[in-house]
Amino acid sequence: DAKTTQPPSMDCAEGRAANLPCNHSTISGNEYVYWYRQIHSQGPQYIIHGLKNNETNEMASLIITEDRKSSTLILPHATLRDTAVYYCIVPPRQLTFGSGTQLTVLP
Amino acid sequence: DTEVTQTPKHLVMGMTNKKSLKCEQHMGHRAMYWYKQKAKKPPELMFVYSYEKLSINESVPSRFSPECPNSSLLNLHLHALQPEDSALYLCASSQDMGGSSYNEQFFGPGTRLTVL
């Protein structure tokens, strides 16, 4: 299983883009990168996933480096409701959460 | 309907009690999961059911007993728990666990369990 490394915490001003990095240098060629977030005391929420191309949905964008060893989740216009723990995961068949990044969006 | 529901939201039980946590989804998902989450820690996988059969047991103590009566329901039976079992218990579902690919999971809001 590929291991992921994320900064423990980040701050972002409301309305600005939040860029959350993740290192997954041991990722295999066919493993996807998934992002989830967990708002305090709620269940985790799926955000986005990708293999090698950049991906965008209504919640976020995912930028994966060409060598696939790292990725960045981008919340284009962060709001206070985006304050949460963000998990970057490279699952084979099951989900193992790492420590994640606590993103705090500041007013 | 893309919702996973869990009942109860909160549960307080003594160490000699028997209780059950319930989870339900109506998305036609064939894989269902139980996770345990302690405060300020990430969720930890406990059990996985695939097509109503227990597929993964992450060496969970026998005082936790999962049950999947049908493809929409998942129970977690609790008996003789310890205070250190107090945690948020999360249920999730996904389309399936087929092949070697991972399918994104939908999580319920969790049951906050306190063992006295």
Side-chain angles (χ1 to χ4, degrees):
Chain A
D1 299 357
K3 182 177 167 56
T4 61
T5 305
Q6 298 177 255
S9 64
M10 293 181 65
D11 291 340
C12 175
E14 189 177 19
R16 303 298 294 269
N19 297 289
L20 294 101
C22 178
N23 181 291
H24 34 79
S25 57
T26 60
I27 194 170
S28 298
N30 61 349
E31 289 181 321
Y32 284 75
V33 180
Y34 278 76
W35 285 82
Y36 284 76
R37 73 179 183 184
Q38 186 173 24
I39 296 170
H40 182 61
S41 294
Q42 296 182 22
Q45 177 190 23
Y46 163 79
I47 301 173
I48 198 168
H49 71 281
L51 182 63
K52 51 177 112 173
N53 298 322
N54 298 337
E55 302 287 345
T56 296
N57 64 20
E58 64 279 3
M59 289 183 68
S61 294
L62 176 60
I63 309 297
I64 302 174
T65 57
E66 193 168 341
D67 63 8
R68 304 210 327 117
K69 293 186 177 182
S70 65
S71 60
T72 300
L73 180 75
I74 300 172
L75 308 179
H77 306 286
T79 71
L80 299 178
R81 288 176 295 179
D82 292 322
T83 292
V85 178
Y86 287 77
Y87 296 101
C88 164
I89 300 158
V90 181
R93 298 186 67 204
Q94 64 230 46
L95 201 59
T96 301
F97 288 87
S99 300
T101 296
Q102 171 66 58
L103 175 69
T104 302
V105 180
L106 303 171
Chain B
D1 181 4
T2 59
E3 192 179 21
V4 175
T5 59
Q6 289 188 244
T7 55
K9 287 189 175 8
H10 301 273
L11 179 63
V12 179
M13 60 185 290
M15 290 189 284
T16 59
N17 292 157
K18 287 185 182 181
K19 297 286 185 183
S20 296
L21 309 184
K22 296 184 185 301
C23 173
E24 190 166 3
Q25 58 87 15
H26 295 287
M27 294 177 277
H29 289 172
R30 303 314 299 267
M32 296 187 76
Y33 309 75
W34 281 115
Y35 291 83
K36 173 182 177 179
Q37 185 173 27
K38 301 284 279 184
K40 298 188 186 302
K41 296 291 187 182
E44 296 179 13
L45 183 65
M46 300 174 72
F47 301 104
V48 182
Y49 272 82
S50 179
Y51 289 83
E52 301 161 47
K53 288 186 172 20
L54 184 63
S55 176
I56 295 172
N57 177 341
E58 291 288 300
S59 303
V60 178
S62 60
R63 58 185 183 270
F64 295 91
S65 175
E67 178 197 21
C68 189
N70 60 56
S71 59
S72 299
L73 294 174
L74 186 66
N75 297 323
L76 185 63
H77 302 298
L78 314 172
H79 173 54
L81 294 194
Q82 304 296 311
E84 58 264 31
D85 296 321
S86 297
L88 181 68
Y89 287 84
L90 294 160
C91 173
S93 70
S94 66
Q95 190 170 4
D96 59 35
M97 281 188 73
S100 62
S101 64
Y102 169 78
N103 295 285
E104 58 266 29
Q105 296 181 359
F106 293 77
F107 283 81
T111 293
R112 177 75 58 190
L113 174 67
T114 302
V115 182
L116 300 177

